[in-house]
Amino acid sequence: TASVVGHASVHIGDPAAQFQECLRNVAALTAQAERQHPPLAGKLQPVNYKLYLPETSSLDLLAPALRAVLPAPLMVLHGDVCRRDLRVEIEALYLAEQDASPAQ
């Protein structure tokens, strides 16, 4: 996901705000998955994140926030993002935590 609300890019020129918007979008996506599939509620856990940055200078700005809020392994990649006016994109992989109780 990226810093997109509806169909519009938001927080142009502010990589830190774009990162926060990405996190809100990931949270909205996982919440929607849980609403559509109630057995997943409370079981989705982050496995890893990929952060795409077209400008490596953004990494210095984002580093403190990355360590503070991402609970899973993170790979940072220097490359294009989905829209030219954005400076941050996140790919997140979540899996449903398995029930540890034995099958009846």
Side-chain angles (χ1 to χ4, degrees):
T1 184
S3 185
V4 177
V5 176
H7 296 285
S9 299
V10 294
H11 312 296
I12 305 306
D14 187 346
Q18 289 180 27
F19 174 69
Q20 294 301 320
E21 193 68 49
C22 289
L23 295 179
R24 285 189 287 276
N25 288 341
V26 168
L29 289 167
T30 56
Q32 181 64 23
E34 290 178 346
R35 281 191 297 276
Q36 288 184 335
H37 305 284
L40 295 178
K43 293 184 179 179
L44 290 178
Q45 298 297 317
V47 175
N48 67 45
Y49 295 93
K50 292 180 185 174
L51 179 70
Y52 297 90
L53 302 173
E55 299 167 352
T56 56
S57 60
S58 296
L59 184 57
D60 292 334
L61 174 70
L62 296 174
L66 295 173
R67 287 190 286 275
V69 299
L70 294 180
L74 168 70
M75 179 184 299
V76 179
L77 301 164
H78 178 231
D80 293 333
V81 298
C82 63
R83 296 182 180 193
R84 288 186 188 150
D85 54 353
L86 297 177
R87 295 288 155 261
V88 179
E89 184 173 343
I90 292 178
E91 181 179 322
L93 175 63
Y94 279 66
L95 293 176
E97 187 176 77
Q98 297 296 316
D99 187 351
S101 62
Q104 300 290 326

